[in-house]
Amino acid sequence: MSGRHLTGDEIVNRIFPVEEGPAPIPMHLAVCPECQEKVSKLREAYLLDRGAVAGVVESLPGEFWTSQRRAVIGRISELAAVEAEERATPFPTRFTRSILNRPALAVGSLAAAVALVAGLTVLRSVPEAGPPAGNATSSTVAANGSAGFSAADREDDELLRSVDTVLCTEAPHEALLPEALK
Amino acid sequence: MVNDLPGEGSRAGDPGLRERESELLGRVRAGEPEAFEYFVRTYQRKVFRLVYTLVRNAGEADALTQDVFVKAWRAVPEFKGEASFETWLNRIAVNAVRDSARRRKPVVAFADLAAAEETGGSDLPRSVEPTDGTSPERDAFSRQIRRRIGEALEALSPRQRAVFVMKHYEERSIAEIGAATGLDDGTVKSHLFRAARKLRQKLEDLR
């Protein structure tokens, strides 16, 4: 006997070679009936299966292929007709039809739009935090207290308080009138 | 119907084939779906055979083959003609089988099919059951081996199965398999090696 028995991988590679072209035959295989039997069993199994698959395809009647072809061409023609119609239909009609053909999409879109409007409405109705600019009165300024305010803020407060006082005690246009006209 | 078209006899090696197909694809792109019939007629057997070998169910293979052609028709505008139409079609077929396997388990697993076959309930034509006619024992052994190979192929990943089937059942070259699967040669060989090894493990006791 020449050399060792073929390993499992070697047997598989005899039948299902990865590389293209003829593979060299191991010397051992030529002289070992046991390894020859293993290789031939696997080859037989493979060829039987391959033959069976080919046989199925070959034995299918002509009507099968005709019917398959008709089915494919039928589907394609339908799709082509739909596409041609879509191209020929003006946009608003196409859009309306598209929405009507997809009720789930229409309901979903409507729900999303309603949610968006409702959200915006709620956001607008919530009053903004803090007093609006220009309406600051001495009392609100005072109410804020001095906690967390810098020196510059305090000076601003002083100024605003003074302006407030002036506005409360005399009309602004009177301050601008010449003394003789008062 | 397109009567002025080449039929099933067309071969990929035909030098004028690409030109004729290119002209027909132009007609398809121009909005003449009937021109696509040539491609269905020419390649339907090859596509069906590849798909059938992968899914092992005639009904499923028929449905998938139809889907492949419809997908191909839709994708014709994107076909650049870098590979042959057949290679491109094979790629669509391999992807369709892979997607179908991902979406759901096969309608009928090969093991169930083989069991049905033994009780006469298979959808495969009985006339093609390969036997060497030597003895009932031998026929039973053949059936058993085929069922085991089918089970072993089913155990491979969709990509490994596609690569293996194209190489050993369709006799495609490594380059063709690479073009049809989008894999480079080294990866194709790696898949082939792994698939063969898995197959050997599954068929261990047959040897």
Side-chain angles (χ1 to χ4, degrees):
Chain A
M1 188 74 58
S2 166
R4 55 167 179 78
H5 286 305
L6 266 59
T7 64
D9 280 343
E10 284 169 336
I11 289 171
V12 169
N13 287 339
R14 296 294 315 150
I15 312 301
F16 303 116
V18 170
E19 296 296 333
E20 289 171 300
I25 301 171
M27 180 65 80
H28 173 79
L29 188 61
V31 295
C32 176
E34 200 182 320
C35 287
Q36 284 170 5
E37 170 74 8
K38 285 178 179 176
V39 170
S40 71
K41 264 191 178 177
L42 189 59
R43 178 176 286 122
E44 184 186 19
Y46 157 59
L47 292 177
L48 272 169
D49 191 54
R50 206 174 89 153
V53 168
V56 168
V57 180
E58 295 305 316
S59 71
L60 288 167
E63 296 84 61
F64 172 82
W65 303 111
T66 309
S67 143
Q68 186 182 71
R69 200 157 56 236
R70 280 194 192 133
V72 171
I73 297 301
R75 282 172 66 182
I76 287 174
S77 301
E78 262 177 40
L79 289 167
V82 169
E83 282 181 12
E85 195 192 353
E86 277 180 4
R87 275 197 299 271
T89 312
F91 172 71
T93 315
R94 196 191 322 159
F95 178 72
T96 313
R97 204 176 290 169
S98 154
I99 286 288
L100 290 177
N101 286 343
R102 299 175 180 86
L105 179 68
V107 171
S109 306
L110 187 64
V114 168
L116 183 67
V117 170
L120 287 173
T121 311
V122 168
L123 277 177
R124 284 185 166 212
S125 64
V126 172
E128 283 178 33
N135 287 345
T137 61
S138 55
S139 58
T140 54
V141 171
N144 280 335
S146 57
F149 283 86
S150 66
D153 288 330
R154 270 193 291 276
E155 282 172 20
D156 285 349
D157 287 349
E158 295 285 346
L159 178 66
L160 283 170
R161 231 174 268 136
S162 311
V163 170
D164 234 4
T165 312
V166 169
L167 287 174
C168 290
T169 52
E170 55 187 285
H173 68 277
E174 283 177 353
L176 298 171
L177 286 173
E179 198 61 37
L181 293 176
K182 280 184 186 174
Chain B
M1 280 291 180
V2 181
N3 296 322
D4 58 335
L5 305 173
E8 291 158 21
S10 303
R11 291 286 173 270
D14 184 346
L17 183 68
R18 276 212 177 191
E19 277 177 32
R20 285 203 300 278
E21 291 191 342
S22 175
E23 186 254 317
L24 285 166
L25 287 169
R27 284 165 62 180
V28 174
R29 284 189 195 102
E32 197 183 320
E34 300 78 23
F36 196 73
E37 185 173 354
Y38 156 79
F39 296 99
V40 183
R41 193 189 307 156
T42 304
Y43 296 111
Q44 68 182 142
R45 282 176 172 79
K46 287 179 177 176
V47 171
F48 178 85
R49 185 184 153 130
L50 172 61
V51 172
Y52 176 76
T53 314
L54 290 167
V55 302
R56 304 286 177 132
N57 177 279
E60 197 182 353
D62 181 26
L64 279 168
T65 302
Q66 291 183 29
D67 289 348
V68 167
F69 282 106
V70 173
K71 281 178 185 169
W73 174 76
R74 278 182 177 281
V76 160
E78 292 145 38
F79 177 64
K80 302 282 185 292
E82 285 155 2
S84 71
F85 188 83
E86 187 182 348
T87 301
W88 184 68
L89 210 52
N90 281 332
R91 190 167 192 159
I92 295 174
V94 167
N95 288 340
V97 172
R98 190 197 56 204
D99 292 347
S100 160
R102 272 186 196 157
R103 274 198 304 272
R104 59 186 161 77
K105 294 286 285 176
V107 178
V108 181
F110 185 84
D112 300 338
L113 189 64
E117 219 174 295
E118 280 163 14
T119 56
S122 165
D123 67 342
L124 304 183
R126 299 293 297 171
S127 58
V128 300
E129 187 60 41
T131 63
D132 59 8
T134 50
S135 71
E137 292 80 20
R138 190 87 178 146
D139 289 350
F141 176 68
S142 298
R143 271 203 298 276
Q144 188 210 352
I145 284 180
R146 285 192 50 224
R147 193 186 69 232
R148 295 290 301 281
I149 287 191
E151 286 170 350
L153 285 177
E154 225 177 90
L156 302 178
S157 72
R159 180 156 274 174
Q160 278 177 351
R161 201 186 319 161
V163 167
F164 186 86
V165 159
M166 277 193 272
K167 172 80 164 66
H168 298 297
Y169 285 74
E170 302 277 307
E171 295 185 331
R172 304 284 167 87
S173 69
I174 299 282
E176 283 176 313
I177 297 169
T181 53
L183 302 172
D184 59 50
D185 287 6
T187 312
V188 169
K189 285 181 185 177
S190 167
H191 277 306
L192 280 172
F193 181 75
R194 286 183 199 167
R197 176 171 270 187
K198 273 192 197 171
L199 217 60
R200 180 183 70 80
Q201 287 162 354
K202 292 278 176 188
L203 302 174
E204 192 82 53
D205 57 330
L206 281 180
R207 291 184 289 99

